[in-house]
Amino acid sequence: MVARGVPAQVAVMAAAALNFTESSSSSNWWRDINNSPLWQDRIFHVLAVLYGIVAAIALVQLVRIQLRVPEYGWTTQKVFHFLNFFVNGVRCFVFVFRRDVQKLQPEIVQHILLDMPSLAFFTTYALLVLFWAEIYYQARAVSTDGLRPSFYTINTVVYVVQIVLWLILWWKPISVLVILSKMFFAGVSLFAALGFLLYGGRLFLMLQRFPVESKGRRKKLQEVGYVTTICFSCFLIRCVMMCFDAFDKAADLDVLDHPILNFIYYLLVEILPSSLVLFILRKLPPKRGITQYHPIR
């Protein structure tokens, strides 16, 4: 009985070993790609191409809007598309020279080049929240005088705090400050996500209760609903990822040997959201009689 049981035990052990080997080999491809300079460069260059495409789309749309309504100067819509072009253009440049960026000294220069576009991305989409808040309060006959000063104040505080953290890191580069910087931006991302949920949700519900049924109302309802969902999701994902990035070395985004993680992260939190929002908001403004179209003052 023992002799008969031995082959069965060997078969079970062999099957377990095979399963372990398969699971190990399935995880090896991730490690092999991460450790390959060739694959690192390929993935970073793919990201550069994707960012370049989004930047080009934003620039083309900006030019189209300018040709359509040149008399209105720098409107909210124009600034939004310009900032999209700027953020994606800088990201494209950084990923083209990603390996060289990693060699820059002092190290704080690397942090600035990698993190500054994220701050500009926050400003870009905070501008969209501001635009929706103005529409919402104007429709309810509530004064909007305090909205733009609040927008400028919030952005100033975010940039000043981040610049102070960079200067301290430059003066004394310690890991606690790096963690604090990442957690600060996680908080900023959560704040942006809640802003979209608050004003996107309010505007959506207000449009839903609007008594007149029309094609324009339905399209605007879909537009607000889609953009709110996309932007809330991308900023929430960024918040969660920044928390992991701060405390887990395996989730570090500022290194060369995590190209797959970089690709997934930037695809989900910047490239796809920007592409989808630019597509949804592709409609040009009418030439005359624009009541909701505001210059930046």
Side-chain angles (χ1 to χ4, degrees):
M1 290 178 63
V2 173
R4 289 180 180 176
V6 170
Q9 292 175 2
V10 171
V12 170
M13 292 173 65
L18 180 62
N19 288 335
F20 176 77
T21 304
E22 288 176 350
S23 63
S24 297
S25 63
S26 65
S27 63
N28 281 342
W29 70 269
W30 181 288
R31 188 162 55 252
D32 291 343
I33 290 176
N34 279 342
N35 294 331
S36 167
L38 178 63
W39 275 105
Q40 291 169 8
D41 290 340
R42 284 176 178 173
I43 291 174
F44 291 140
H45 289 159
V46 168
L47 282 171
V49 169
L50 292 175
Y51 273 115
I53 292 170
V54 179
I57 292 170
L59 181 61
V60 168
Q61 186 68 353
L62 174 62
V63 172
R64 291 178 68 210
I65 295 168
Q66 175 61 25
L67 293 175
R68 187 69 174 264
V69 284
E71 65 275 13
Y72 284 94
W74 281 100
T75 61
T76 303
Q77 192 179 19
K78 290 178 185 178
V79 173
F80 175 77
H81 282 86
F82 172 76
L83 287 175
N84 263 294
F85 164 71
F86 173 77
V87 170
N88 288 282
V90 172
R91 283 282 191 220
C92 174
F93 176 82
V94 168
F95 279 114
V96 166
F97 301 102
R98 184 64 183 84
R99 193 168 295 279
D100 296 320
V101 168
Q102 199 69 22
K103 299 174 184 176
L104 291 174
Q105 293 298 329
E107 190 177 335
I108 190 63
V109 179
Q110 300 174 28
H111 289 292
I112 293 172
L113 286 174
L114 293 171
D115 294 343
M116 182 58 79
S118 298
L119 291 176
F121 186 86
F122 164 77
T123 300
T124 303
Y125 286 86
L127 188 64
L128 187 55
V129 174
L130 168 68
F131 184 60
W132 283 355
E134 287 181 333
I135 293 174
Y136 174 77
Y137 286 122
Q138 284 173 0
R140 295 176 66 88
V142 177
S143 174
T144 60
D145 292 344
L147 289 178
R148 286 183 181 271
S150 298
F151 170 80
Y152 296 134
T153 301
I154 290 168
N155 275 273
T156 301
V157 169
V158 168
Y159 281 83
V160 167
V161 170
Q162 186 60 70
I163 290 169
V164 168
L165 287 171
W166 283 336
L167 290 174
I168 297 173
L169 271 171
W170 184 22
W171 173 60
K172 196 171 185 181
I174 55 177
S175 58
V176 175
L177 286 174
V178 176
I179 293 172
L180 184 62
S181 178
K182 291 177 180 180
M183 289 306 298
F184 169 71
F185 197 72
V188 170
S189 300
L190 181 61
F191 180 75
L194 294 176
F196 272 102
L197 193 63
L198 176 63
Y199 287 107
R202 282 181 169 182
L203 190 58
F204 181 84
L205 292 174
M206 185 184 73
L207 289 169
Q208 208 171 32
R209 292 194 297 264
F210 199 73
V212 178
E213 185 64 32
S214 66
K215 183 180 178 182
R217 173 189 168 276
R218 286 196 301 273
K219 287 185 69 176
K220 184 60 67 175
L221 194 65
Q222 291 176 346
E223 176 185 298
V224 172
Y226 290 150
V227 173
T228 297
T229 304
I230 291 165
C231 293
F232 172 76
S233 301
C234 90
F235 278 107
L236 190 62
I237 292 170
R238 188 190 285 270
C239 172
V240 173
M241 274 302 302
M242 282 291 103
C243 292
F244 280 109
D245 186 9
F247 298 104
D248 188 354
K249 286 291 183 184
D252 193 353
L253 295 162
D254 297 339
V255 292
L256 291 175
D257 56 358
H258 290 162
I260 303 174
L261 184 63
N262 269 263
F263 182 80
I264 295 170
Y265 172 76
Y266 286 110
L267 189 69
L268 290 179
V269 304
E270 287 186 3
I271 296 171
L272 272 177
S274 296
S275 304
L276 291 171
V277 170
L278 287 171
F279 176 75
I280 293 167
L281 303 180
R282 67 191 183 280
K283 184 180 178 182
L284 294 175
K287 290 184 177 181
R288 297 180 181 277
I290 307 170
T291 57
Q292 76 277 21
Y293 213 58
H294 303 292
I296 296 292
R297 290 184 292 272

